Amino acid sequence: MWFLLLLYAALFEQVIIEVTSQRLYLKDGDGPCEGYPKIYNDNAWGYLGDSVQNSNTEKVVCKTAQCGELNSIEDVSRDIDGTTWLNEVNCTGAEDQLWNCTFPGWGTSVYLKPTVKKVKCSYNIKIDLEGDECAGPVRYSTDGGKTTSGYLCFDKFATKAADHICESLGCGNSLEDPSSASVASNQPIMKVNCPEKMDFTNLWQCVTQEAPKCEKAASVTCTGYKRLQLSGNSTNACSGRLQKEDGENWTDIKLSDLKHTADELCHKMHCGGLSVNSSNNDTQLTCSGVFNIQPVGQNRPSQGVLSGRLDNKYDARFQEQVYLYNVKVILKDNSTSCYGSVYMKVNDTEHPVCGTKWNPKNAEKVCSELKCGKLVNTDFKPSRTSQGWIMDEVDCKGKESSLWHCKAKRDPKTCQSHAYVICEGSVNARLVDGPGKCAGRLEIHFEGEWQNVDKAQWVDSYSNVVCQQLKCGDARKSEKFSMGSSPFLRKKITCNAGVKHISECTVKELSNSQGDREAVGIICEEHKVAFLEGKKSCSGKVRIEKGDVISWVSGSNETWNNDTANTVCRQMHCGEAQSFNHTPPSNKNKRLIESYKCSSNTTSLFDCETSPLSSDSNATIATVTCSGKINVNLTNKCWGMVNVCMGGECGGVCKNTWTDNMSESLCKELGCGNISLKSYKQESSVVIVKSLHSPKNAAKLANYNFVKNDDNDKTFSQNPAYVVCSGSIKPKLDTFGDKCSGNVLLSYEDKWLPVCKEALKDKDTRDAICKELDCGDAVNSTDYWGHPTEKKQISQLQYTSNDLKKCVAEEKSCPLGGLQCSERRTITLNDACTGAVYVKSQEEKNIVPVSAEGFSKKEGEKLCKDLKCGALKLVAAKNPSETLWNKSFNCTGVGEEGKIWDCEKPQASTQKQQAVIECEEKPNINISGGCYGQVKINGLEVCNRKWEDKYSHMVCQEKGCGNAIIDRLHNSNPVSSTEYHHVHCEDFHHKIGQCKRFKARCEGKGKLVSVYCTGNVKFRTTSICGGQIEVNYRDTWEKLLEFPVRFKKKLCEELNCTDVLKSEPQYQKQEVTMDTSVECQDGTLDFKYCVQKKDPISTKKPAEIYCQGYEPPSTQERAEPFPTVSVIVGVGFLLVVVVLTIIFVRMCLIRRAKSDSLRMFPRKEVEFESGDMDDFHNKSNEMEDFRRGRFRSDSEVIAGHDARSNSSYPYDDIDEMEEGRPLTSQADTDAASGDYMPMPDNGVTYEVDDPQENYDDIEASPEVTQTKAQVYNTPKSPTESVAVAPPGLPKGDEDYLVPGQDG
């Protein structure tokens, strides 16, 4: 008994602990007593679902939140990714806590609605400090501050709570740990407990319950006073002019203006506890501290930060020594003073500064204090020490004289990270491994070493900064140089316009810097080539390039004449010289001049007479304007065949001589991107140009030297040069009603091609597509939705810095992809094809109401069409419960083919009502078996190719059938030629009718979706009140692999069998194959929600249960018992045989005596009156005792009509009969001889089923002899009595007493 009591106490205590581990508060309301419930369980916060529609649950929510009575309820959006702890909650309204209501379990019921209930309770909570505005006991009021309702308990009142109350009162943070305060005993004190993971906005959200045993209220002192600092001494933060904080500035103040002594001021500024060289009328103050020095031979105490003292108490064992308190900031772990980990040097001891909540303002203060220029980067590093920390959670406003005077926690015991700062004084750049200082590989000095820069992380315009910093002018181009041995900079550098030094650029961590890298190379000097330099293709200055040497054709009248000018024009395929002239050179520079003199029939300038190079600053330069014109383009603007027009004809270029560099140059020249792509067109053209030859740095392809196809070779026409510029590749997102989300399609040679998902794996590529569509950055890559119409796919795709670098199209079977961009927006309704209109954007976790402004019939029609909901039925408006979307819809000017997102307007709405629509074709979702079977949408089955497990939950929840039991193996096969629904749902969808869908064949390994819901789960056992447990959730009874022990009692109760048996019988079992189990999580209360589909397992141990009242089946074979049990059973059986033998012998003797006695009387004199007989069943004799030892009930032993005959008397005591008639009549005799007579109308039948029942209590009557009775079962007949045994009775069966055969 004691053991049971102890066990009960332990279990009860455990229940209490489990209950108190749950928390609830109201979030996102006007005060702590308004908002939607957030529930804490199992170390995580979650939502309260509202599948059960009544207000009792919300009433209990107000009670649980300590917020009084319920005032109102409304729907609000929720984070659809968040956990829902409770759903299907049934409350009566009388419960004190929400978890005292009935529900399936913690996290058991799936909740998919995007909204939850927001409640407003009766309490108007106000929390403040009693007494001073920024100090005193913490009190609360439930009527908004009109009266004091009570206080908050000091017990477990954490610093976090103190900080919150100080901040809410505008008093800063808590100055010190909370203390206790006595309050009036008649005032209630509430218990406060703020979990670490609780993001509360009002301290009342941390209140759990009233604490009758709490005697002290929490008292808080805030940092509401003005801060002080010492300024003017750059080498010591604890010496200088005394200043007080005045808003964002600091002003000088005299000691006499303060209530504190100089010693107290030093202590408050964490500068020791003593002052030196100070007076009350002076603004100067220098602080000092005290060393406690041990006697000679003993070590000084190990003290991290030397603290001053304000009293005269000290240990007599130590000497006191006053010292100057010298404090300054330093940066360590480097060879310079302008980068490294942040330390505070207090006298000669260096103390690390924690990186907790470290921010750029703190780092800027460090750089400024150290005179290291501006901040380049700041971070925090893992802690390398476990002690000596001096400051934590530093928070500088910017104008403090030193980091030491910023707000911070002092002397923290532990810290996980170390503040780290890089100032511009430690950053530099150089060019190495080049021809001089103005060309080479870029190296940047960062964090104490020279490092290469990855070209993939570098923008060419930044090279100007390096060249200008090195006084090399502007950058001309990038170039590849040797890699060197320096490591690569693992940072992303960004240089804004106007930057003159590399240290002024910003630096950020690289998210991924792996793979092949190329070092940045820069050339800061110009590079020149020979061509006609002018705005037009066939005119300009005549310039000649040889390697890196540039020369100009002389404009001297002696050599530059009409013949030489015609030669130049003919060589450039520009006709004849229309005019020629010369132009003077710049006075600032000398020019390299080369003279050429040509004859009238010369075709090349280099065939003419020439003079040596000369340097003459006064020489003129030749210019010419030719009669012809050269133009190079593509037949389809940014893609197509290369088309060259010159000399009055146009045609193509031979593909064999056309290079990729030429393609890229042409694409750039046409403004069609920076690269060319592979063409798949096979076309023929008249080729007029065999080849092109490029001078260095030619402005246009028209300035190239062309080799014409003068011999009109037709072989070139079959293979013309064909260019697809990257600028011709235009992406779009096939949206299915969304904006900035959908299948990625690229326009490639005038066809919209889908993109392989593998080609979208690069983030830069995804971002570039989204940005080109004005959709922000890429967020997620998605699967392709629907069936493509083109055979080709984009198999490779790459963007770098938003420029297309690679795009390959080919006929390839691959999984296709889509994108979701950061500007993604989805429009939806709060029900399938009907309800309030919402927008879900990528940056918002919740759906946002859409204003009814401008949302008229036209907008409703487009939305119904986009949602595939048929025609518009109704447009209306309602008052929203949340802030409206900051944009609106207006389809004025949008054509019939336009979508609802084409109607988006950037301006915010002025109307404060939410749009509501109803469409005609609301999808009909059904489960063929009610709560189990095939899922059908408008009568058509669904393919599982895109089906997710949560969709099954959605169907079950929508049909009111609880959760889904995930069973993918029992989906049926589709018909290959039939199209079925394919479904895809977003996270904010809670009904299948809201989801996107299309019809297509269910190919591959696709099956037709079936669901099995918990609402269809039934349990039974193979026998009455026990046996093997069977479950039915998919229209068949099947055995279970497991069943939780903790739910067996509940199962017995549901079987109407009370409690579980302590010991279970053992029987022989056959091996069966099972694939279903019942496995529950800790928070589950309803085991129907625990049914799980498993892999098939063959076992002889299916789940069993044996309850009170268990009846084993008669055909069930007992299992072979253990040897000990066999011995016990054998001995018991032997004893039973002995007892039965004794009883049988005694019965034979008694009956023989009775028979002899009955023969002594005439049969007609033996009569019995029913009223003279005692009830056989009320006699406590041996036969009754033996009968009670059997398993069967009285109803099994005796069955008959109420009307009795003489043959129905119970003969329990024949000795007490005084008169009766003979029991053996003529009918008995006839029956005994085999002549059956009709039974009397009373139809009495007696059945004694126990073969071991005996009559050893029947004594022989002296008055009755030679009379024998027979009792047996027989069908009803008109015979008055039957005295023979029924057919088939085994001989010797003692239940039947037949005259003359009783032994």
Side-chain angles (χ1 to χ4, degrees):
M1 178 60 72
W2 287 109
F3 172 79
L4 293 177
L5 290 174
L6 289 173
L7 181 61
Y8 173 80
L11 291 175
F12 180 77
E13 181 181 0
Q14 182 181 0
V15 171
I16 295 298
I17 292 174
E18 290 177 354
V19 170
T20 56
S21 65
Q22 279 82 41
R23 294 291 301 277
L24 179 147
Y25 75 97
L26 301 180
K27 183 177 175 62
D28 290 351
D30 294 334
C33 289
E34 180 181 355
Y36 64 88
K38 290 286 286 184
I39 298 175
Y40 184 77
N41 179 64
D42 195 18
N43 295 321
W45 291 95
Y47 290 100
L48 169 64
D50 59 359
S51 293
V52 177
Q53 301 290 335
N54 64 64
S55 61
N56 288 335
T57 301
E58 284 70 32
K59 291 178 181 178
V60 179
V61 167
C62 286
K63 292 182 183 180
T64 308
Q66 308 296 324
C67 285
E69 301 297 326
L70 176 66
N71 279 355
S72 63
I73 308 173
E74 60 179 317
D75 289 331
V76 295
S77 299
R78 70 178 181 95
D79 177 5
I80 55 178
D81 295 327
T83 300
T84 299
W85 277 125
L86 296 182
N87 189 30
E88 300 184 59
V89 180
N90 282 286
C91 299
T92 64
E95 297 87 351
D96 292 331
Q97 299 286 334
L98 183 65
W99 23 91
N100 292 337
C101 301
T102 301
F103 53 91
W106 294 94
T108 301
S109 177
V110 175
Y111 186 70
L112 300 171
K113 292 177 64 177
T115 60
V116 291
K117 296 299 182 186
K118 176 181 178 181
V119 302
K120 184 174 183 180
C121 307
S122 60
Y123 282 0
N124 181 13
I125 299 296
K126 179 181 179 182
I127 300 177
D128 60 4
L129 301 178
E130 187 176 54
D132 188 85
E133 181 182 4
C134 294
V138 185
R139 65 181 179 181
Y140 72 90
S141 171
T142 60
D143 57 7
K146 297 178 182 178
T147 60
T148 298
S149 302
Y151 298 86
L152 302 187
C153 183
F154 168 69
D155 184 27
K156 296 184 179 180
F157 194 91
T159 303
K160 180 180 179 181
D163 287 339
H164 181 83
I165 187 64
C166 289
E167 292 171 3
S168 65
L169 295 174
C171 295
N173 297 321
S174 59
L175 180 62
E176 56 191 14
D177 291 338
S179 58
S180 60
S182 299
V183 294
S185 59
N186 61 341
Q187 293 281 9
I189 299 180
M190 303 300 290
K191 190 174 182 179
V192 178
N193 185 8
C194 299
E196 287 295 329
K197 295 184 179 180
M198 182 175 180
D199 185 20
F200 61 91
T201 57
N202 189 291
L203 194 57
W204 191 256
Q205 293 169 325
C206 296
V207 172
T208 58
Q209 61 188 14
E210 186 175 347
K213 295 183 179 180
C214 185
E215 299 178 353
K216 299 287 186 178
S219 182
V220 173
T221 302
C222 306
T223 57
Y225 69 96
K226 298 294 183 181
R227 291 194 298 147
L228 300 175
Q229 73 173 15
L230 295 173
S231 179
N233 190 338
S234 61
T235 62
N236 186 4
C238 289
S239 178
R241 299 191 314 274
L242 181 64
Q243 294 182 329
K244 72 173 183 179
E245 188 178 23
D246 186 9
E248 295 184 357
N249 299 312
W250 293 84
T251 58
D252 293 346
I253 187 173
K254 294 182 179 180
L255 294 173
S256 58
D257 294 335
L258 300 174
K259 299 179 181 180
H260 302 285
T261 66
D263 291 349
E264 291 173 335
L265 293 177
C266 287
H267 182 75
K268 287 182 177 294
M269 289 183 290
H270 308 284
C271 289
L274 299 175
S275 62
V276 296
N277 301 329
S278 63
S279 64
N280 288 337
N281 294 324
D282 194 4
T283 61
Q284 294 291 324
L285 180 62
T286 299
C287 298
S288 63
V290 176
F291 266 132
N292 286 328
I293 307 301
Q294 288 185 343
V296 178
Q298 300 186 31
N299 295 325
R300 177 181 298 180
S302 59
Q303 182 75 12
V305 178
L306 301 174
S307 301
R309 63 174 181 81
L310 296 178
D311 52 45
N312 295 321
K313 296 180 181 180
Y314 65 94
D315 193 329
R317 296 176 300 168
F318 297 94
Q319 298 176 354
E320 291 187 340
Q321 177 179 332
V322 177
Y323 63 93
L324 185 65
Y325 210 85
N326 195 318
V327 179
K328 64 180 179 180
V329 65
I330 62 172
L331 295 174
K332 285 189 59 177
D333 301 334
N334 62 85
S335 58
T336 69
S337 60
C338 291
Y339 93 93
S341 300
V342 184
Y343 286 78
M344 295 304 304
K345 188 173 183 179
V346 181
N347 294 323
D348 293 329
T349 306
E350 297 170 349
H351 302 278
V353 175
C354 286
T356 309
K357 298 184 180 179
W358 186 257
N359 58 62
K361 273 190 173 293
N362 302 338
E364 289 171 358
K365 174 53 59 184
V366 173
C367 292
S368 174
E369 189 173 351
L370 293 174
K371 295 181 173 54
C372 285
K374 296 180 180 179
L375 174 68
V376 174
N377 192 31
T378 186
D379 203 347
F380 52 85
K381 304 290 185 180
S383 171
R384 296 181 180 178
T385 180
S386 59
Q387 58 185 1
W389 300 98
I390 194 168
M391 300 174 72
D392 193 9
E393 298 186 15
V394 182
D395 185 16
C396 297
K397 292 185 176 180
K399 294 190 177 181
E400 295 87 349
S401 61
S402 170
L403 184 73
W404 185 251
H405 293 301
C406 296
K407 290 182 180 179
K409 286 185 178 180
R410 306 288 169 159
D411 303 334
K413 294 181 179 180
T414 60
C415 190
Q416 302 299 320
S417 60
H418 196 167
Y420 190 84
V421 173
I422 300 174
C423 306
E424 67 177 1
S426 67
V427 180
N428 210 339
R430 69 183 182 185
L431 296 175
V432 297
D433 294 342
K437 74 166 189 174
C438 292
R441 187 181 71 254
L442 173 64
E443 285 189 348
I444 292 180
H445 190 265
F446 195 82
E447 293 185 302
E449 64 179 335
W450 292 100
Q451 304 176 59
N452 290 335
V453 179
D454 188 359
K455 189 174 182 180
Q457 306 299 330
W458 185 257
V459 179
D460 288 342
S461 62
Y462 301 165
S463 299
N464 290 331
V465 177
V466 177
C467 290
Q468 291 173 9
Q469 177 184 332
L470 298 175
K471 302 186 184 319
C472 292
D474 290 334
R476 178 65 185 87
K477 63 177 181 178
S478 63
E479 188 64 56
K480 186 175 182 180
F481 294 93
S482 66
M483 295 288 287
S485 58
S486 299
F488 273 89
L489 181 67
R490 299 175 63 86
K491 306 287 181 180
K492 171 70 175 178
I493 297 177
T494 303
C495 300
N496 296 323
V499 170
K500 301 297 182 182
H501 196 281
I502 195 68
S503 64
E504 299 176 47
C505 301
T506 59
V507 179
K508 294 182 180 179
E509 290 287 343
L510 282 177
S511 59
N512 184 10
S513 60
Q514 302 300 319
D516 295 334
R517 290 174 288 186
E518 181 182 346
V520 172
I522 300 174
I523 295 179
C524 300
E525 54 192 17
E526 294 184 357
H527 193 65
K528 300 176 182 179
V529 294
F531 54 91
L532 283 179
E533 187 183 72
K535 294 182 178 180
K536 297 181 180 180
S537 60
C538 289
S539 66
K541 300 176 184 178
V542 185
R543 176 172 145 180
I544 297 175
E545 175 186 316
K546 287 185 178 181
D548 292 334
V549 179
I550 296 175
S551 62
W552 300 85
V553 173
S554 173
S556 171
N557 292 332
E558 296 179 358
T559 56
W560 184 242
N561 53 35
N562 187 62
D563 289 339
T564 305
N566 282 332
T567 299
V568 170
C569 289
R570 287 195 296 268
Q571 182 176 346
M572 301 300 294
H573 303 288
C574 289
E576 300 292 326
Q578 193 174 44
S579 65
F580 63 94
N581 207 334
H582 57 80
T583 181
S586 170
N587 293 328
K588 296 181 180 180
N589 300 302
K590 292 183 179 181
R591 303 280 181 170
L592 290 176
I593 301 298
E594 190 170 1
S595 297
Y596 291 91
K597 186 176 181 179
C598 303
S599 61
S600 58
N601 59 353
T602 307
T603 59
S604 172
L605 185 66
F606 301 109
D607 295 334
C608 303
E609 296 179 7
T610 182
S611 61
L613 290 173
S614 65
S615 177
D616 184 358
S617 61
N618 295 318
T620 59
I621 298 173
T623 63
V624 65
T625 299
C626 303
S627 60
K629 182 180 179 181
I630 298 176
N631 185 35
V632 183
N633 56 24
L634 296 172
T635 54
N636 295 296
K637 188 177 180 180
C638 286
W639 67 276
M641 288 181 293
V642 179
N643 185 54
V644 178
C645 295
M646 63 171 61
E649 64 176 341
C650 296
V653 179
C654 178
K655 183 178 180 179
N656 293 336
T657 60
W658 186 264
T659 67
D660 291 339
N661 288 335
M662 294 176 186
S663 295
E664 291 183 5
S665 297
L666 179 57
C667 289
K668 293 176 182 177
E669 181 179 328
L670 297 175
C672 292
N674 296 324
I675 65 169
S676 64
L677 308 173
K678 182 179 179 181
S679 172
Y680 298 93
K681 292 280 187 178
Q682 297 294 331
E683 297 183 6
S684 60
S685 174
V686 176
V687 174
I688 65 172
V689 177
K690 289 183 177 180
S691 61
L692 288 81
H693 301 277
S694 168
K696 291 186 178 180
N697 219 15
K700 295 180 180 180
L701 266 74
N703 299 119
Y704 280 33
N705 289 320
F706 293 85
V707 178
K708 291 191 68 177
N709 186 18
D710 292 331
D711 55 0
N712 199 22
D713 189 345
K714 301 296 183 181
T715 59
F716 296 120
S717 298
Q718 302 301 321
N719 194 19
Y722 205 97
V723 175
V724 178
C725 296
S726 58
S728 70
I729 306 300
K730 300 298 181 184
K732 76 174 182 178
L733 295 175
D734 195 0
T735 63
F736 284 91
D738 295 348
K739 181 175 182 178
C740 295
S741 175
N743 299 332
V744 178
L745 300 177
L746 293 186
S747 176
Y748 199 112
E749 293 184 313
D750 209 27
K751 290 182 179 295
W752 288 102
L753 304 182
V755 180
C756 295
K757 193 171 184 180
E758 180 70 14
L760 297 171
K761 65 180 181 180
D762 180 64
K763 187 177 188 307
D764 288 344
T765 300
R766 300 194 300 268
D767 287 342
I769 293 173
C770 290
K771 288 177 181 177
E772 185 168 345
L773 296 172
D774 293 326
C775 288
D777 295 324
V779 177
N780 294 316
S781 59
T782 61
D783 293 333
Y784 191 90
W785 184 245
H787 278 287
T789 57
E790 296 292 338
K791 293 182 179 180
K792 284 190 175 68
Q793 294 90 32
I794 304 296
S795 60
Q796 299 180 50
L797 186 65
Q798 180 184 359
Y799 281 82
T800 302
S801 300
N802 297 326
D803 290 329
L804 182 62
K805 296 297 183 183
K806 188 175 186 180
C807 185
V808 177
E810 57 185 334
E811 290 188 15
K812 179 181 179 180
S813 178
C814 65
L816 303 177
L819 279 183
Q820 291 179 354
C821 305
S822 59
E823 293 296 321
R824 177 204 180 195
R825 293 188 284 279
T826 301
I827 191 166
T828 186
L829 307 176
N830 64 350
D831 205 340
C833 294
T834 184
V837 184
Y838 289 88
V839 163
K840 171 68 172 64
S841 60
Q842 190 67 39
E843 65 271 15
E844 295 285 344
K845 285 193 173 183
N846 302 329
I847 54 177
V848 182
V850 173
S851 171
E853 180 175 332
F855 210 97
S856 61
K857 179 181 178 181
K858 187 173 183 179
E859 287 73 19
E861 288 174 345
K862 287 191 178 296
L863 180 53
C864 287
K865 180 181 177 181
D866 289 352
L867 295 178
K868 301 185 185 302
C869 290
L872 177 68
K873 185 177 182 181
L874 173 69
V875 176
K878 73 163 191 172
N879 293 325
S881 59
E882 300 170 88
T883 303
L884 292 171
W885 187 39
N886 58 4
K887 297 182 181 181
S888 59
F889 290 98
N890 191 320
C891 293
T892 302
V894 178
E896 291 297 325
E897 297 301 319
K899 297 180 179 295
I900 186 64
W901 284 112
D902 297 328
C903 307
E904 181 185 9
K905 302 301 177 184
Q907 64 269 21
S909 60
T910 58
Q911 183 174 342
K912 301 305 179 183
Q913 286 189 307
Q914 182 180 5
V916 178
I917 71 167
E918 183 177 357
C919 306
E920 293 280 0
E921 299 177 10
K922 183 175 181 179
N924 183 20
I925 313 299
N926 280 316
I927 307 175
S928 60
C931 284
Y932 76 98
Q934 283 189 339
V935 178
K936 294 184 178 181
I937 303 177
N938 296 330
L940 181 64
E941 295 86 351
V942 180
C943 180
N944 69 350
R945 291 295 301 274
K946 302 292 183 179
W947 192 263
E948 298 179 13
D949 291 344
K950 79 167 189 175
Y951 302 172
S952 298
H953 291 303
M954 291 169 64
V955 174
C956 290
Q957 289 280 337
E958 182 175 348
K959 305 306 292 185
C961 295
N963 289 359
I965 302 169
I966 306 304
D967 182 0
R968 305 182 186 92
L969 297 180
H970 288 78
N971 294 333
S972 57
N973 293 321
V975 178
S976 59
S977 60
T978 302
E979 291 188 339
Y980 300 93
H981 286 296
H982 295 249
V983 177
H984 172 73
C985 301
E986 302 291 347
D987 290 339
F988 50 86
H989 290 152
H990 68 282
K991 289 188 175 181
I992 291 295
Q994 296 174 299
C995 305
K996 303 172 186 176
R997 61 185 183 274
F998 70 92
K999 292 181 181 179
R1001 288 184 295 178
C1002 194
E1003 298 175 334
K1005 296 182 180 180
K1007 301 281 187 178
L1008 300 184
V1009 174
S1010 293
V1011 299
Y1012 305 93
C1013 309
T1014 55
N1016 190 54
V1017 174
K1018 297 179 286 293
F1019 288 90
R1020 75 178 185 184
T1021 54
T1022 54
S1023 300
I1024 298 175
C1025 291
Q1028 295 175 355
I1029 305 173
E1030 295 183 338
V1031 65
N1032 188 331
Y1033 70 91
R1034 51 192 182 195
D1035 201 29
T1036 182
W1037 289 99
E1038 52 192 293
K1039 293 177 172 56
L1040 295 173
L1041 287 165
E1042 294 180 21
F1043 189 89
V1045 175
R1046 64 189 179 102
F1047 284 117
K1048 283 194 173 182
K1049 181 176 180 181
K1050 187 172 183 180
L1051 178 58
C1052 284
E1053 292 173 353
E1054 292 191 6
L1055 294 173
N1056 296 320
C1057 298
T1058 65
D1059 205 350
V1060 182
L1061 290 177
K1062 294 182 179 179
S1063 61
E1064 298 181 354
Q1066 296 182 349
Y1067 299 100
Q1068 292 184 356
K1069 302 168 185 177
Q1070 296 181 349
E1071 184 172 277
V1072 293
T1073 300
M1074 295 167 285
D1075 61 355
T1076 305
S1077 181
V1078 176
E1079 298 177 15
C1080 298
Q1081 302 295 327
D1082 290 340
T1084 304
L1085 302 180
D1086 187 348
F1087 53 83
K1088 289 189 298 185
Y1089 286 79
C1090 307
V1091 176
Q1092 298 182 18
K1093 173 71 173 59
K1094 297 287 186 178
D1095 292 331
I1097 297 177
S1098 296
T1099 180
K1100 289 185 178 181
K1101 297 181 179 180
E1104 297 178 339
I1105 190 171
Y1106 296 96
C1107 312
Q1108 295 289 345
Y1110 166 66
E1111 293 186 15
S1114 60
T1115 60
Q1116 193 169 16
E1117 296 180 0
R1118 295 186 176 274
E1120 182 178 349
F1122 294 100
T1124 303
V1125 176
S1126 300
V1127 173
I1128 295 174
V1129 171
V1131 173
F1133 179 79
L1134 182 59
L1135 292 175
V1136 170
V1137 171
V1138 173
V1139 172
L1140 291 177
T1141 302
I1142 296 173
I1143 294 174
F1144 178 79
V1145 172
R1146 186 180 179 189
M1147 287 178 59
C1148 290
L1149 294 175
I1150 292 173
R1151 292 184 179 182
R1152 185 175 298 277
K1154 290 180 179 179
S1155 177
D1156 294 339
S1157 177
L1158 289 173
R1159 291 190 187 101
M1160 298 172 61
F1161 294 92
R1163 185 167 299 177
K1164 64 180 180 179
E1165 293 179 2
V1166 182
E1167 296 178 355
F1168 296 96
E1169 298 293 337
S1170 62
D1172 296 335
M1173 305 292 294
D1174 292 335
D1175 191 351
F1176 177 83
H1177 298 288
N1178 294 332
K1179 184 68 175 178
S1180 299
N1181 50 35
E1182 295 181 36
M1183 183 177 68
E1184 180 68 6
D1185 292 338
F1186 186 81
R1187 186 190 63 79
R1188 290 180 178 177
R1190 302 172 62 231
F1191 289 103
R1192 299 199 177 187
S1193 62
D1194 293 343
S1195 62
E1196 297 176 272
V1197 177
I1198 299 177
H1201 294 277
D1202 291 335
R1204 295 187 179 185
S1205 68
N1206 292 340
S1207 62
S1208 66
Y1209 294 140
Y1211 299 99
D1212 61 332
D1213 194 349
I1214 303 179
D1215 292 336
E1216 295 179 359
M1217 298 181 186
E1218 293 184 356
E1219 58 181 349
R1221 62 186 177 86
L1223 293 177
T1224 304
S1225 62
Q1226 182 63 39
D1228 296 335
T1229 305
D1230 295 339
S1233 62
D1235 298 325
Y1236 288 89
M1237 300 293 294
M1239 293 186 65
D1241 293 336
N1242 58 15
V1244 177
T1245 302
Y1246 297 90
E1247 178 181 352
V1248 182
D1249 289 336
D1250 191 348
Q1252 299 176 354
E1253 187 168 344
N1254 62 80
Y1255 301 90
D1256 58 348
D1257 58 337
I1258 304 178
E1259 301 294 338
S1261 173
E1263 300 176 355
V1264 181
T1265 59
Q1266 299 181 358
T1267 302
K1268 299 181 181 179
Q1270 92 177 351
V1271 184
Y1272 55 90
N1273 287 327
T1274 186
K1276 182 176 179 180
S1277 68
T1279 309
E1280 179 177 343
S1281 63
V1282 180
V1284 295
L1289 176 68
K1291 186 175 181 179
D1293 191 333
E1294 293 300 328
D1295 280 349
Y1296 297 87
L1297 306 180
V1298 182
Q1301 300 181 17
D1302 57 354

